[in-house]
C-alpha cells in the first residue's frame, strides 16, 4: 500500500502543478484584455467627470443670473409700488382674493 499512496501523492502533485500552470497561462492571456478594459473605464470616468464639472459650472452661472434677475425684479417692484402705492395695494388685494377663491376648491 505504501507504493500506491506514493503514486497517488505524486499524481496529486502533478495535477496541482498542471492546474497552477494552466491558471498562470490563463491569467497571462487575460492580462491585455483586462488592461484594455481598465484603460477604457478610466477614459469613460474622465469624460463623465469632465461633463459633470461643466454642468456644475453652468448651473452655478445660471443660478447667479437668476439671482441677479430676482434682485432686478424686486428693485423694479419697489420703484413701482413707491410711484403708485394705491394701485399696488389694489392689485395685491385682488390677487389675494383670487388666490383665496382658487385655494378653497
Amino acid at each position: 500500500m505504501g507504493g500506491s499512496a506514493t503514486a497517488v501523492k505524486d499524481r496529486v502533485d502533478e495535477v496541482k502543478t498542471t492546474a497552477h500552470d494552466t491558471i498562470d497561462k490563463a491569467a497571462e492571456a487575460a492580462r491585455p484584455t483586462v488592461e484594455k478594459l481598465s484603460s477604457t473605464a478610466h477614459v469613460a470616468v474622465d469624460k463623465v467627470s469632465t461633463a459633470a464639472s461643466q454642468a456644475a459650472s453652468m448651473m452655478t452661472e445660471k443660478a447667479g443670473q437668476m439671482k441677479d434677475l430676482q434682485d432686478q425684479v424686486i428693485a423694479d417692484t419697489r420703484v413701482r409700488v413707491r410711484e403708485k402705492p394705491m394701485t399696488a395695494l389694489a392689485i395685491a388685494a385682488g390677487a389675494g382674493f383670487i388666490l383665496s377663491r382658487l385655494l378653497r376648491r
Side-chain angles (χ1 to χ4, degrees), residues 7-84:
V8 170
K9 182 182 178 310
D10 290 344
R11 182 67 182 141
V12 169
D13 287 343
E14 182 181 317
V15 169
K16 179 180 96 172
T17 302
T18 302
H20 279 294
D21 290 345
T22 303
I23 291 169
D24 290 343
K25 286 177 186 175
E28 194 60 39
R31 187 178 318 267
T33 303
V34 171
E35 288 176 359
K36 183 177 180 182
L37 287 172
S38 174
S39 176
T40 302
H42 282 291
V43 169
V45 167
D46 289 344
K47 286 181 180 179
V48 169
S49 174
T50 299
S53 294
Q54 290 173 347
S57 295
M58 186 182 305
M59 288 179 69
T60 300
E61 181 181 331
K62 293 297 180 187
Q65 291 173 353
M66 292 298 291
K67 177 70 171 122
D68 293 344
L69 181 61
Q70 176 187 5
D71 293 343
Q72 185 62 43
V73 168
I74 290 172
D76 290 347
T77 303
R78 283 185 181 142
V79 168
R80 292 180 194 272
V81 168
R82 284 188 184 124
E83 288 175 354
K84 299 181 181 182

